[in-house]
Amino acid sequence: MSSVLITHPAFLKHDTGEFHPERPDRMRAIDHVLAGPPFAGLVRREAPLREDDTTYIRLAHRQEYLREVSDAAEHIVSGHQSIDGDTVVSPGSWEAARRAVGAGLDAIDSVMAGTAANAFCQVRPPGHHAESQRAMGFCLFNNIAIAAHYVRAKYGAERIAVVDFDVHHGNGTQEIFWSNADLFYGSTHQMPLFPGTGAVRETGVGNIFNAPLRAGDARAQFEEAFRSRILDPLHNFAPDFVLVSAGFDAHYRDPLGGLRLVEADFEWATHSLTEIARRHADGRIVSMLEGGYDLTGLSQSVAAHVSALMEAGA
Ligand SMILES: [Zn+2]
């Protein structure tokens, strides 16, 4: 079976303004690398606009918040509107945000139907900072948390894990998962750093596993933290489905983070997660793009990540 790549040109039309790090060129850089011969075997699909998406968005976000985002994003006709200090919407944002959610739902449908081995969703805006009732950190809807709720609601899967190796802590996913023991959230991230959450003592109902790293940390510290604080508890959790918040801003070239990971480190982490998925979840794993702001570091790291997914699916 093949791995699936889900993306859409509409992600270029979420306009964050000049000099914003979360910019359309991120998609172009990834497109360029994934057009290469090593990725000829990827099945490519367009991220859909789904009529049922708000039903599932509401499983992770409050109704009033959904209305707030749609009022801001659906009706803006030009320019930008800030809905948080660093989160803006433009005329193309509503479609992009909905297709980003749709990519995750479609990826899950493909994996559950057995038509794809696994999937990578190349989307923007990212999602893991968006809380149940708050936009934050470039994120409008929490794509990965919505996907987690979807696989439970639609397919009756019980235990869903999200593993997040973005350099920033996924405060939104943590908040949405906080009191649900069937939803596992494990994160490596730099601390102190935006958004300020992610301490080891933040444990939810025993379902939150934070593994903070210090600026300057590289493979050795990352691997130790990832193994002991995330992979070991994840193995005990025995997930029915594994989701990945795949941010690549822990790369040493990234301007927003201070960790020193390289492409091979993301490949190792991905391989570790596909192994857990193979042992517990019949191989079911879906990854969604979060951050990554150096175009070379981002695109090369995505290549390593997708290669590991393809290898697991082959
Ligand atoms: Zn990030």
Side-chain angles (χ1 to χ4, degrees):
M1 245 191 310
S2 302
S3 298
V4 173
L5 170 68
I6 304 178
T7 188
H8 198 280
F11 297 136
L12 297 171
K13 293 184 180 160
H14 169 53
D15 177 9
T16 46
E18 216 179 347
F19 309 123
H20 197 291
E22 203 293 282
R23 59 206 191 277
D25 277 350
R26 298 176 64 235
M27 297 289 105
R28 296 188 182 100
I30 297 171
D31 286 343
H32 182 72
V33 169
L34 295 185
F39 303 100
L42 276 176
V43 172
R44 291 153 201 267
R45 282 232 300 276
E46 292 206 326
L49 258 185
R50 290 176 51 133
E51 287 183 358
D52 62 350
D53 57 0
T54 54
T55 302
Y56 300 107
I57 291 171
R58 278 202 297 265
L59 298 177
H61 294 283
R62 299 282 185 85
Q63 171 71 39
E64 312 85 77
Y65 176 71
L66 176 57
R67 197 177 306 123
E68 184 189 324
V69 175
S70 70
D71 283 350
E74 197 174 10
H75 303 124
I76 185 168
V77 290
S78 67
H80 308 91
Q81 181 181 341
S82 292
I83 57 172
D84 163 69
D86 47 22
T87 313
V88 298
V89 295
S90 71
S93 299
W94 180 242
E95 181 181 349
R98 288 185 59 200
R99 287 195 193 272
V101 169
L105 307 188
D106 204 43
I108 285 168
D109 287 342
S110 300
V111 170
M112 292 304 291
T115 55
N118 52 45
F120 177 66
C121 303
Q122 178 196 333
V123 300
R124 62 186 288 275
H128 72 156
H129 295 305
E131 297 186 348
S132 56
Q133 45 192 336
R134 175 158 77 140
M136 195 171 156
F138 319 157
C139 303
L140 295 173
F141 295 132
N142 195 312
N143 307 317
I144 205 85
I146 295 165
H149 278 293
Y150 177 74
V151 73
R152 284 163 54 87
K154 175 133 185 219
Y155 295 100
E158 284 180 29
R159 293 176 310 282
I160 313 303
V162 169
V163 176
D164 183 337
F165 51 68
D166 190 280
V167 80
H168 303 98
H169 181 244
N171 58 291
T173 313
Q174 173 170 295
E175 185 254 347
I176 292 165
F177 282 18
W178 187 259
S179 55
N180 190 331
D182 290 326
L183 296 174
F184 176 110
Y185 179 66
S187 173
T188 51
H189 47 272
Q190 182 182 330
M191 266 190 98
L193 190 69
F194 180 88
T197 50
V200 172
R201 67 174 182 277
E202 296 163 23
T203 55
V205 288
N207 61 324
I208 307 290
F209 298 87
N210 284 313
L213 298 164
R214 291 195 191 91
D217 281 355
R219 171 65 173 260
Q221 296 85 1
F222 172 71
E223 185 171 331
E224 160 59 22
F226 200 77
R227 276 189 201 282
S228 66
R229 294 196 182 278
I230 295 176
L231 295 179
D232 288 352
L234 179 57
H235 182 61
N236 292 333
F237 178 75
D240 296 319
F241 206 111
V242 177
L243 297 169
V244 186
S245 263
F248 299 96
D249 40 12
H251 191 278
Y252 78 95
R253 292 177 58 107
D254 198 273
L256 269 56
L259 298 186
R260 293 189 296 126
L261 298 190
V262 298
E263 292 83 341
D265 303 333
F266 296 112
E267 192 166 5
W268 171 81
T270 308
H271 176 73
S272 304
L273 294 172
T274 61
E275 269 303 296
I276 296 249
R278 187 183 62 78
R279 286 166 72 177
H280 296 287
D282 205 17
R284 293 185 290 266
I285 184 167
V286 165
S287 171
M288 301 192 77
L289 181 65
E290 299 283 359
Y293 305 100
D294 175 79
L295 298 181
T296 302
L298 169 66
S299 56
Q300 296 299 328
S301 299
V302 166
H305 177 63
V306 172
S307 294
L309 288 174
M310 291 173 76
E311 190 184 323

